[in-house]
Amino acid sequence: MEFTTVLFYVFSAIMVFAALRVITARNPVQAALFLVLAFFQAGGIWMLLKAEFLAIVLVLVYVGAVMVLFLFVVMMIDIDTEKMREGFWNYLPVAATIGGIIVLEMASVLWRGFGTGNTTAPAAAGTIGGTKELGLLIYTQYIYAFEIAAVVLLVAIIAAVALTLRKRKDIKYFDPGEAVRVKRNDRLRIVKMDAVVERNTEAAEPKEAQ
């Protein structure tokens, strides 16, 4: 057995264990950390497939940006995990059915790919990590899927902001919309006042003394 094969099995085993801990951990922060571990193992598998660019993007984007944002959201909102797990087992049949369908679909695709005996697959796999080939595929063949993924990420960002947005009464709140709609008469008021004449106290004191 080659050393790369051993590394593949090690990375795969750790990734499967981390994925199981993501869905079984009671603490959401621990689940997020196990998801980070799973992403690192997936990046290692990409490196074994000579897809260095995809491995680096996976670590930088998901681990360095998405997971950090997820951890901030989890820590900022007060999640009652016990209340969320009250009806957890009621959704088990539906979750098992959906998971089984996904596994069967992935198995059918992989079985078909390995069973065709296409000799050009290793050559294509060697260039999968190139930025030029990846850019051509993303912006030509998979342009609509790429745009849908961008919209999904935008919705996720908006949802994260909406979850963490709280109006507190003990701090000064500033509404940008009201600041844009403000007029001059709303901020400035001209008041006419009579002139104030100061008395000359130094000249009045000697007369009083006399």
Side-chain angles (χ1 to χ4, degrees):
M1 184 179 293
E2 297 181 357
F3 182 67
T4 56
T5 306
V6 175
L7 286 179
F8 172 77
Y9 283 114
V10 170
F11 290 156
S12 301
I14 297 175
M15 186 170 63
V16 171
F17 170 74
L20 290 176
R21 289 297 298 158
V22 169
I23 61 176
T24 57
R26 293 183 176 272
N27 192 346
V29 178
Q30 293 181 1
L33 293 177
F34 277 111
L35 188 57
V36 170
L37 179 61
F39 284 148
F40 270 108
Q41 306 310 310
I45 294 176
W46 279 117
M47 292 291 289
L48 293 178
L49 293 175
K50 296 181 179 180
E52 295 85 2
F53 176 74
L54 293 179
I56 294 173
V57 169
L58 180 65
V59 173
L60 291 180
V61 175
Y62 285 94
V63 178
V66 177
M67 291 311 303
V68 173
L69 177 63
F70 182 76
L71 284 175
F72 270 109
V73 172
V74 169
M75 291 179 180
M76 290 181 68
I77 61 178
D78 190 9
I79 300 178
D80 190 1
T81 56
E82 297 298 331
K83 187 177 181 180
M84 292 178 59
R85 291 179 177 273
E86 287 180 357
F88 178 77
W89 295 106
N90 296 331
Y91 300 100
L92 182 61
V94 179
T97 304
I98 296 175
I101 293 173
I102 293 174
V103 170
L104 290 176
E105 290 177 350
M106 293 179 64
S108 63
V109 171
L110 293 176
W111 183 264
R112 183 178 179 182
F114 286 116
T116 54
N118 188 7
T119 56
T120 61
T127 59
I128 194 173
T131 57
K132 182 178 179 180
E133 292 80 7
L134 185 62
L136 289 175
L137 288 176
I138 287 178
Y139 293 105
T140 54
Q141 185 176 355
Y142 300 100
I143 181 64
Y144 294 109
F146 185 72
E147 291 179 352
I148 291 173
V151 172
V152 171
L153 289 177
L154 178 61
V155 172
I157 294 173
I158 296 174
V161 174
L163 287 174
T164 56
L165 181 61
R166 296 178 181 178
K167 293 184 179 180
R168 298 176 56 183
K169 297 181 180 180
D170 56 343
I171 61 174
K172 186 177 180 181
Y173 177 71
F174 177 75
D175 190 1
E178 294 181 358
V180 172
R181 293 189 299 268
V182 70
K183 302 298 182 182
R184 179 181 63 86
N185 296 329
D186 298 333
R187 298 296 185 184
L188 180 63
R189 185 177 62 178
I190 300 176
V191 179
K192 293 183 179 181
M193 299 179 62
D194 297 333
V196 178
V197 179
E198 296 183 358
R199 295 179 58 188
N200 192 356
T201 56
E202 296 180 355
E205 286 179 357
K207 293 181 180 181
E208 293 178 358
Q210 293 176 359

